[in-house]
Amino acid sequence: MALKDHLREFRNRLFKAAIAVILGTVGGFFLYMPVFNELTRPVQELSEQEGRLATINFDGVATSFDQMIQVSVFIGLLVSSPFWLYQLWAFITPGLKTKERRAALGFLAAAVPLFLAGVWLAWLILPNAVGVLTDFTPEGAANVITASVYLAFVLRLLLAFGIAFLIPVVMVGLNLLGLLSGKTILKYWRITVFIICLFAAMAAPGGDALSMFYLAAPLLVLFAVAVGLCFLNDKRRARRNAAREAAVEAQADKASTLEDL
């Protein structure tokens, strides 16, 4: 395709993706109140169960509307993610070979559920994170939490967990491109395990090691699976290279024999 045709195709795909995000955002407006109630439930339960004063505060006239727009856009991006990811896939796939298309499709097929799984896990540990972090409040003091600060904290937590679950997929993708071997990944496994545990301790703080384990365990399992897939792909690549070299040597020997004759 000519450059003009590529730009036209990109514009069409971008327009379709934007329409999907807008429709998802409109749906997010209708889901805002139940989602907001669920997001702020940990603060409400903290106040009810422990008798501690904890409230969500809107510090401006238009703050509640601003937060509604931000949360609705976030919901729209999540709900419409399969569609706009497909538009991205449909734009790049004409320029890929058959093998590259399968690899890219497999990458998307694994990335979307893993990202959603990370968001879901963050949702599960959110009450524990809120409870532990507010335990540092001095006795007799109140937690008057600004809505913008609280929602930003929650959305960052959800995104951090979702992105963390994508790291193994990125590792496999780099291996498929030949940029990262399984042996190199395994060489630094101690550092990787330490970073995973450190991230789990910071993202899911708790009174004991159990809360950290709930996050670190699935990440370690995903890391082990990614390493295994990288080694399998390295062996497959080595066999292909060996077969290619054998074929080249056979052709060279045949050419040499013909020259001798």
Side-chain angles (χ1 to χ4, degrees), residues 18-42:
I19 292 297
V21 173
I22 292 174
L23 293 177
T25 302
V26 172
F29 276 104
F30 294 97
L31 296 174
Y32 171 72
M33 288 308 300
V35 170
F36 179 80
N37 292 333
E38 288 298 323
L39 292 177
T40 58
R41 187 182 299 277

Side-chain angles (χ1 to χ4, degrees), residues 99 172-182 230-244:
K99 180 181 176 181
V172 175
L174 293 175
N175 179 262
L176 291 174
L177 294 175
L179 301 177
L180 188 65
S181 66
C230 290
F231 270 103
L232 289 176
N233 187 61
D234 289 342
K235 290 182 179 180
R236 192 181 300 112
R237 185 184 294 114
R239 287 196 298 266
R240 287 198 303 265
N241 292 337
R244 188 180 299 111

Side-chain angles (χ1 to χ4, degrees), residues 209-229:
L210 192 60
S211 59
M212 184 187 76
F213 173 79
Y214 285 145
L215 175 59
L219 290 178
L220 291 173
V221 171
L222 290 174
F223 171 73
V225 172
V227 172
L229 292 176

Side-chain angles (χ1 to χ4, degrees), residues 5-164:
D5 295 328
H6 277 295
L7 294 177
R8 185 181 296 110
E9 175 71 10
F10 177 75
R11 182 194 62 188
N12 294 335
R13 296 294 178 184
L14 183 62
F15 178 76
K16 293 178 181 178
I19 292 297
V21 173
I22 292 174
L23 293 177
T25 302
V26 172
F29 276 104
F30 294 97
L31 296 174
Y32 171 72
M33 288 308 300
V35 170
F36 179 80
N37 292 333
E38 288 298 323
L39 292 177
T40 58
R41 187 182 299 277
V43 178
Q44 299 172 3
E45 293 178 349
L46 185 70
S47 180
E48 294 172 358
Q49 296 177 3
E50 301 184 10
R52 187 189 308 170
L53 180 58
T55 60
I56 299 295
N57 179 47
F58 291 92
D59 58 350
V61 177
T63 305
S64 57
F65 180 72
D66 293 340
Q67 297 306 308
M68 183 178 183
I69 292 178
Q70 293 180 21
V71 175
S72 299
V73 171
F74 184 79
I75 296 173
L77 287 171
L78 285 181
V79 172
S80 62
S81 58
F83 187 82
W84 56 261
L85 283 173
Y86 169 77
Q87 295 301 320
L88 176 62
W89 158 257
F91 175 72
I92 65 175
T93 187
L96 300 178
K97 300 178 181 178
T98 303
K99 180 181 176 181
E100 294 171 338
R101 292 179 185 177
R102 289 198 298 264
L105 185 60
F107 180 86
L108 290 178
V112 173
L114 283 176
F115 178 80
L116 295 178
V119 172
W120 176 73
L121 182 60
W123 183 282
L124 291 181
I125 72 164
L126 177 62
N128 182 54
V130 172
V132 170
L133 292 175
T134 53
D135 280 341
F136 294 97
T137 304
E139 187 176 354
N143 291 102
V144 182
I145 307 171
T146 304
S148 58
V149 175
Y150 177 77
L151 291 178
F153 162 75
V154 172
L155 295 182
R156 283 197 300 266
L157 183 68
L158 298 178
L159 287 176
F161 274 57
I163 294 173

